[in-house]
């Protein structure tokens, strides 16, 4: 009995050693990555010229000096356009895997029906947004 326990213990130690070796490689790569970034920032700080002037210290946006307060109201329709774009862009990504599955033998009819249901949901969402006047730019 004790011999079997020793063998199991030795095998467990070897398995744990292999397990931690795999993570040590990941840890080493993480340390190298952090060092690379630190050296790059340090080199940039040492090599860049430092000549602050009042013009360089001004806040600007898109090359234009700021006028007024920093708080401005933005209409929600811009976010709605962005949201609709993201929805349809992400949903269009699902069309590419569908096309590859549709080309595979044995998946034709069912896959075609599923995709038309999916496109129907997209069309209903687009129709709803259009009826609500979300797509009008005024």
């Amino acid at each position: 009995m004790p011999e079997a326990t020793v063998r199991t213990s030795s095998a467990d130690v070897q398995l744990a050693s292999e397990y931690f070796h795999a993570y040590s490689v990941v840890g080493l790569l993480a340390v190298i990555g952090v060092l690379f970034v630190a050296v790059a920032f340090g080199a940039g700080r040492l090599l860049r010229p430092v000549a602050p002037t009042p013009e360089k210290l001004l806040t600007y946006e898109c090359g234009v000096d700021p006028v007024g307060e920093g708080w401005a109201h933005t209409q929600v329709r811009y976010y709605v356009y962005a949201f609709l774009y993201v929805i349809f862009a992400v949903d269009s990504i699902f069309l590419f895997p569908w096309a590859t599955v549709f080309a595979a033998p044995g998946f034709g009819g069912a896959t075609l029906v599923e995709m038309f249901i999916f496109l129907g949901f997209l069309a209903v969402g687009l129709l709803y947004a259009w009826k609500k006047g979300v797509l009008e730019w005024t």
Side-chain angles (χ1 to χ4, degrees):
M1 285 272 186
E3 292 175 9
T5 306
V6 171
R7 287 183 190 165
T8 305
S9 176
S10 174
D12 289 343
V13 169
Q14 184 177 359
L15 185 63
S17 173
E18 292 174 6
Y19 177 80
F20 287 118
H21 175 71
Y23 277 105
S24 66
V25 171
V26 172
L28 179 65
L29 284 175
V31 168
I32 289 172
V34 168
L35 285 175
F36 180 77
V37 170
V39 168
F41 275 113
R45 187 176 198 104
L46 291 173
L47 296 175
R48 72 176 179 224
V50 179
T53 62
E55 290 83 17
K56 288 182 182 179
L57 297 176
L58 283 177
T59 304
Y60 70 95
E61 185 173 338
C62 299
V64 178
D65 291 332
V67 177
E69 296 182 27
W71 184 260
H73 293 282
T74 304
Q75 294 186 9
V76 74
R77 83 173 72 124
Y78 301 120
Y79 296 109
V80 172
Y81 280 113
F83 186 64
L84 286 172
Y85 171 76
V86 168
I87 288 172
F88 287 103
V90 169
D91 290 339
S92 67
I93 290 171
F94 289 113
L95 293 175
F96 294 108
W98 168 76
T100 58
V101 170
F102 183 68
F107 291 104
T111 308
L112 186 63
V113 169
E114 289 173 358
M115 187 48 61
F116 275 116
I117 292 171
F118 177 72
L119 291 175
F121 281 123
L122 288 180
V124 167
L126 185 60
L127 182 65
Y128 176 77
W130 179 60
K131 288 288 186 183
K132 284 292 206 177
V134 172
L135 302 178
E136 294 178 12
W137 192 274
T138 56

